[in-house]
Structures are given as structure tokens and as C-alpha cells.
């Protein structure tokens, strides 16, 4: 559809993937879905791919190239050694974890199904608003989850303070009741207009800016406030039994695609993104003072700085992935 309509705004590849992973994860109650990652043939792309999946609470199922064990075995060991080492370091802090549901984005199967007959309409009124709202949440680096139609028909998690509705006029009866109860409990609702032009390169930037401003004005500071480049992916997880909060940070991986055979138009000669520096994470004082905060990939303990809003740490510069763990 985007190729047929040059005026349509094409979302970044990694944003499309990240939204899809989030929907699958949240559809299973936040438990980690297994994501198959095929056709990886070098160490760097293996690390980027695994970091991306792990950041969004998924299990990275790295597909190894095995046609001849004698030759492919040693080569695979070299390609995936650092990836598995990273997994060993961060997995304990993500086992049995769930995403922090401060914000929730409704992704409606009903709205999609009612527009299936027209692929331009389904992109304009379903895919584009959801992707645009996701992009605002992602670039704001707030903790968020997705809600299906069934999930929105039930009481929301009491920790959710912000609800984004791309189709506020198309809610079913139980969904309306859930939204009313949410608002009566002090929650903030942002309703989008699916016909406002989220698909348009001309309109989307202004719509995103307005939504970001509304979040800041109405919802206030999230419990974990993350500062960093807009292209960075940041996902907050909690291990309630261990009294841990884990912030996964991934550099953009949209600069390449995995493909069965090398494809110069997709993943050859692409420029790597610059390393990320100046990233900070502030944990609300509502949690109390963390006993310690570590960066699990590099294995370093991070000094705490008390601010008016909480306890802030500066994340060491990283090229691909960082995993900040606050223990209470």
C-alpha cells in the first residue's frame, strides 16, 4: 500500500517489528514469546537481533546455518558466541519478568476486521494510527503495553495511568464500561481520530507532536523516566518477586534485514547507527531508594544521583544494547 501511495508515511522497519513483538507478548499476558530470527551470518547482526528481541521481552531464537557440521559448527560458534554470552548476563534479570504497564495502547481486532476489504482504508485507519501512537510512546521512552479487544473489555491494571484509544468512537459496551471505570479511578485517556491523517507524511509529524504534548501535560512523569535519542528502544520490565526493575535499551536495528541470500538493497553496505551516550534512567521515589543499580551487559554498578523526581543513573555508552537493573 505504501509503495502505491507515495504520500503515505512509511514507518521504520524496527518500529514495525517492535510493535508486532509487543502485541504478541502482551497477548500472552506479558510472557516472553519465542521469536525466530533466521539467516544471521555475522556476529554484529546476531547481537543487534538478539538485543532487539530481548529488549521487547521476547526469547531470541537464533537460527544457525547448518549444512555441514564440520565446517558450519566452528563458524556458528564464532558468530553466536558473544550473543549467547550477552544472554547469560541479562537473562537472570528478565526471567519471569513482565512489562511495566504505565501506559496502554489499544490495538483492536474489531477495527481491523471491519476494514479488511479495503487495504488502503485499513492502512489509513488502522495500521497508521496504531504505528503513529506506538512511535510516540517509543520516542517518549515511557513504560507501555498493548491491549487487545478482550483485554480492554476487562478492568485495567491498577498501575496503568494512561490509555491510548485509536478508535474511541468504536468501543463495545464492556470496553466503554472499562474505560469509564479507568477514568473514574483517575486514569487519563487520549483518544485519536483514525481519519486525521496518521498515514500522511504531511500530517503525521504534527499529530505525533500533539500526542506527545498531551501525554506530558495530562499523564505526568512515568515511574521510570528515560532520557535518550528518539531512535533508541527502551522497554521497562518488573520482577515483582525479586523486587527488581529492569530497563532494556537497544540501539536501532532498522539498518539491516535478515534474508536467505545476501540482498544489497536490504542489508549490505548499510551504515551502522552511532553509539548511544548521555542516556539516563530515573526511578521514582515511590519505589524507595534502590539498594543498587547495575548495568548487566558490562557488569558495572552505577552510581545513584538523588533528584527532585527520584534516583537517576547515567548509562555507560553502548553501541548495541544496555540492561539497567534496579534492585530494591
Amino acid at each position: 500500500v505504501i509503495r502505491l501511495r507515495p504520500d503515505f508515511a512509511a514507518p521504520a522497519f524496527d518500529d514495525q517489528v517492535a510493535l508486532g513483538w509487543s502485541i504478541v507478548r502482551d497477548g500472552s499476558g506479558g510472557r516472553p514469546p519465542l521469536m525466530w530470527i533466521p539467516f544471521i551470518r555475522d556476529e554484529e547482526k546476531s547481537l543487534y537481533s538478539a538485543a532487539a528481541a530481548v529488549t521487547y521481552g521476547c526469547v531470541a531464537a537464533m537460527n544457525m546455518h547448518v549444512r555441514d557440521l564440520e565446517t558450519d559448527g566452528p563458524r556458528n560458534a564464532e558468530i553466536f558466541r558473544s550473543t549467547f554470552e550477552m544472554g547469560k548476563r541479562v537473562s537472570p534479570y528478565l526471567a519471569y519478568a513482565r512489562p511495566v504497564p504505565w501506559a496502554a495502547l489499544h490495538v483492536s481486532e474489531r477495527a481491523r476486521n471491519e476494514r479488511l476489504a479495503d487495504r488502503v482504508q485499513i492502512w489509513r485507519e488502522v495500521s497508521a494510527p496504531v504505528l503513529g501512537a506506538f512511535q510516540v510512546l517509543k520516542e517518549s521512552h515511557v513504560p507501555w503495553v498493548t491491549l487487545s479487544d478482550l483485554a480492554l473489555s476487562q478492568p485495567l491494571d491498577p498501575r496503568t495511568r494512561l490509555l491510548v484509544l485509536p478508535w474511541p468512537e468504536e468501543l463495545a459496551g464492556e470496553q466503554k464500561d472499562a474505560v469509564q471505570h479507568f477514568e473514574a479511578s483517575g486514569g487519563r485517556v487520549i483518544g485519536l481520530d483514525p481519519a486525521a491523517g496518521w498515514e500522511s507524511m504531511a500530517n503525521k509529524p504534527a499529530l505525533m507532536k500533539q500526542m506527545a504534548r498531551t501525554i506530558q501535560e495530562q499523564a505526568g512523569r512515568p515511574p521510570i523516566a528515560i532520557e535518550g535519542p528518539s531512535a533508541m528502544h527502551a522497554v521497562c520490565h518488573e520482577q515483582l518477586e525479586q523486587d527488581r526493575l529492569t530497563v532494556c535499551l537497544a540501539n536501532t536495528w532498522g539498518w539491516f534485514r535478515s534474508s536467505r541470500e545476501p540482498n544489497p538493497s536490504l542489508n549490505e553496505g548499510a551504515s551502522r547507527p552511532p553509539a548511544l551516550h548521555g542516556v539516563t534512567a530515573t526511578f521514582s521515589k515511590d519505589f524507595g531508594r534502590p539498594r543498587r543499580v547495575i548495568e548487566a551487559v558490562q557488569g558495572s554498578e552505577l552510581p545513584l544521583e538523588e533528584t527532585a523526581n527520584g534516583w537517576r543513573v547515567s548509562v555507560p555508552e553502548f553501541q548495541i544494547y544496555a540492561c539497567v537493573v534496579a534492585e530494591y
Side-chain angles (χ1 to χ4, degrees):
V1 173
I2 295 175
R3 286 194 294 268
L4 295 175
R5 294 292 300 268
D7 57 319
F8 279 12
F13 171 76
D14 53 329
D15 287 352
Q16 296 179 62
V17 173
L19 176 60
W21 285 349
S22 301
I23 292 171
V24 175
R25 176 200 65 205
D26 298 332
S28 58
R31 291 182 291 274
L34 186 147
M35 293 302 170
W36 183 56
I37 302 175
F39 313 130
I40 297 298
R41 299 291 181 264
D42 68 63
E43 181 183 14
E44 185 181 44
K45 291 172 184 174
S46 172
L47 278 166
Y48 270 99
S49 301
V54 168
T55 292
Y56 278 89
C58 303
V59 175
M62 310 300 293
N63 179 249
M64 297 183 179
H65 183 78
V66 180
R67 293 182 179 174
D68 184 298
L69 287 176
E70 185 174 348
T71 58
D72 289 334
R75 188 164 65 93
N76 284 326
E78 289 298 319
I79 291 173
F80 295 105
R81 180 178 288 113
S82 57
T83 298
F84 282 105
E85 179 60 32
M86 179 188 72
K88 289 179 183 178
R89 293 181 181 183
V90 305
S91 291
Y93 305 109
L94 291 168
Y96 303 104
R98 298 290 185 271
V100 176
W102 180 78
L105 170 62
H106 180 214
V107 183
S108 172
E109 309 96 282
R110 184 183 299 107
R112 176 201 64 201
N113 293 343
E114 289 180 352
R115 296 163 171 86
L116 283 176
D118 187 332
R119 58 180 177 171
V120 172
Q121 184 186 25
I122 198 172
W123 179 264
R124 176 184 289 124
E125 298 182 10
V126 177
S127 301
V130 168
L131 280 160
F134 155 77
Q135 192 173 343
V136 173
L137 295 171
K138 170 230 173 181
E139 293 184 1
S140 301
H141 303 314
V142 299
W144 71 282
V145 296
T146 63
L147 296 177
S148 66
D149 282 334
L150 176 61
L152 188 57
S153 300
Q154 302 168 352
L156 274 67
D157 190 301
R159 293 165 299 171
T160 301
R161 305 315 304 150
L162 174 67
L163 175 62
V164 181
L165 300 175
W167 310 274
E169 306 303 322
E170 300 182 31
L171 300 179
E174 291 181 340
Q175 294 173 339
K176 292 179 182 178
D177 293 342
V179 172
Q180 289 176 358
H181 183 269
F182 174 74
E183 289 186 292
S185 302
R188 300 295 183 178
V189 175
I190 295 179
L192 306 183
D193 178 1
W198 285 92
E199 80 289 351
S200 167
M201 287 189 291
N203 296 339
K204 182 179 178 181
L207 290 168
M208 289 180 56
K209 186 176 181 179
Q210 176 60 49
M211 179 179 165
R213 184 165 52 247
T214 302
I215 290 175
Q216 188 175 28
E217 293 173 352
Q218 295 191 12
R221 288 181 64 86
I224 307 171
I226 301 162
E227 299 290 338
S230 61
M232 178 184 73
H233 295 259
V235 183
C236 303
H237 308 267
E238 57 187 358
Q239 289 174 303
L240 296 178
E241 293 184 358
Q242 287 82 10
D243 287 331
R244 283 193 191 123
L245 293 168
T246 299
V247 180
C248 290
L249 305 166
N251 207 342
T252 175
W253 66 92
W255 56 273
F256 77 93
R257 314 281 193 278
S258 60
S259 55
R260 184 179 297 275
E261 301 297 336
N263 186 335
S265 68
L266 293 180
N267 58 9
E268 297 302 318
S271 59
R272 278 59 171 166
L276 299 178
H277 58 87
V279 178
T280 65
T282 302
F283 299 89
S284 171
K285 287 188 175 180
D286 292 343
F287 300 128
R289 188 184 192 278
R291 179 170 51 86
R292 68 167 185 164
V293 179
I294 64 171
E295 198 291 294
V297 178
Q298 299 182 27
S300 57
E301 185 165 344
L302 305 180
L304 287 165
E305 175 190 359
E306 187 174 7
T307 71
N309 298 307
W311 300 94
R312 181 169 61 199
V313 295
S314 296
V315 183
E317 180 177 305
F318 63 97
Q319 177 63 48
I320 298 177
Y321 177 62
C323 180
V324 178
V325 182
E327 298 181 330
Y328 291 87

